[in-house]
Amino acid sequence: MNSPAFTDVGLPTQPAVVFLHGVGGGRHGWTVQQAHVAALGWRSLAWDMPGYGDSPMVTPYDFAHLAQALWQMLDAAHIDQAVLVGHSMGAMVALQAWTQKPERIRGLLLAASSPAFGNSDGDFQKQFLAQRLAPLEAGKNMGDIADKLIPTMAAPGGDASQLIHAHQSMAAVQPATYRAALHALVQFEQRAALPTITVPVLCLAAEHDRTAPPTVMERMAQKIPGARYSCLAGAGHLLHYEQPEAFNAELEKFLKDVKP
């Protein structure tokens, strides 16, 4: 299988950070973060998850295969070990990756996420899927979905101009990929992995995040040995778009914890 498409910033000799986007994201959503870590002396990769942008699909579309695609990308980039920075579903891919090849991970920044979604047979999961897929069933396109969904995910009263890139990313997602990603999401379960993590971890929450509430992130941090928890004030679920400077400050502090 071909490696996923990615944006590579920095030099092969530098320690590496890998940015993993969420369901409505893409590699271009990390441009500000890639510039920031480049200034700190780190190489970074931001991928298009399989099925997104220029990356080929994987079959079946599940977390095991998404994590395998991550290793293919790192192999293609000749990176043996990296810090993984995941947002929402991207943080779930990072947790799944830990269960496969922990020796290749030197730190985990898990932002606006959770260690489990639950079972696809559960009422909450069925309701979530029906709600998220209803606009597609009604003939709406991904731009229409972004119009409705993105404002509800951001903090109230925020700067709408900060969400333009989030909107562009979501509008560009193929409907078939969006469906596949949502179906994978409701199957995610890695709570058992949390106590096994032995690298530095930052669980980064957002004050107004209703998708992955701060209490969920805090509980996750408590189950990971030595993990740190932090919460961005005035941000919602799209925290790295909404508060890029505050996000970058937390990322910079974390990278000092990891120390190349």
Side-chain angles (χ1 to χ4, degrees):
M1 195 192 91
N2 295 329
S3 161
F6 57 92
T7 303
D8 186 354
V9 178
L11 303 170
T13 50
Q14 293 174 313
V17 181
V18 176
F19 293 101
L20 307 168
H21 64 78
V23 172
R27 61 180 155 139
H28 302 299
W30 295 109
T31 306
V32 175
Q33 283 71 40
Q34 285 197 279
H36 190 74
V37 300
L40 300 174
W42 291 73
R43 179 187 181 186
S44 66
L45 266 58
W47 80 344
D48 280 328
M49 192 158 62
Y52 287 74
D54 299 318
S55 293
M57 278 294 270
V58 290
T59 308
Y61 204 93
D62 58 24
F63 280 92
H65 286 80
L66 294 174
Q68 284 168 16
L70 170 61
W71 305 127
Q72 286 177 316
M73 179 182 76
L74 292 189
D75 290 344
H78 306 290
I79 291 172
D80 292 329
Q81 201 179 41
V83 174
L84 303 184
V85 177
H87 171 245
S88 195
M89 186 173 178
M92 295 175 175
V93 174
L95 276 177
Q96 185 80 30
W98 171 263
T99 69
Q100 291 179 350
K101 298 190 179 186
E103 71 282 358
R104 297 191 66 175
I105 298 172
R106 63 194 305 167
L108 293 164
L109 193 162
L110 308 171
S113 193
S114 83
F117 202 102
N119 189 293
S120 58
D121 297 331
D123 288 339
F124 170 73
Q125 288 76 13
K126 285 178 182 168
Q127 192 180 358
F128 172 85
L129 271 181
Q131 195 176 19
R132 286 293 177 93
L133 293 175
L136 285 182
E137 309 297 352
K140 303 284 188 191
N141 63 35
M142 290 302 297
D144 299 328
I145 291 173
D147 287 344
K148 286 275 172 28
L149 199 55
I150 283 177
T152 70
M153 298 175 99
D159 180 355
S161 69
Q162 296 283 43
L163 299 174
I164 290 168
H165 293 302
H167 187 283
Q168 287 170 341
S169 289
M170 189 167 214
V173 178
Q174 294 297 322
T177 299
Y178 187 63
R179 285 176 190 274
L182 288 172
H183 279 282
L185 191 66
V186 297
Q187 302 278 359
F188 185 68
E189 171 57 83
Q190 282 298 347
R191 280 176 287 206
L194 302 182
T196 74
I197 300 175
T198 53
V199 293
V201 176
L202 170 60
C203 293
L204 185 57
E207 180 187 6
H208 299 289
D209 189 352
R210 293 180 295 280
T211 307
T215 49
V216 171
M217 296 289 303
E218 191 167 19
R219 275 202 306 273
M220 177 159 68
Q222 287 164 357
K223 293 187 169 107
I224 301 170
R228 201 159 60 74
Y229 165 79
S230 187
C231 183
L232 290 193
H237 188 63
L238 305 171
L239 66 177
H240 64 294
Y241 292 105
E242 297 174 68
Q243 301 274 359
E245 287 168 7
F247 186 96
N248 285 349
E250 289 286 356
L251 173 57
E252 182 172 342
K253 190 174 166 189
F254 178 65
L255 292 177
K256 285 179 183 158
D257 293 344
V258 177
K259 293 196 183 85

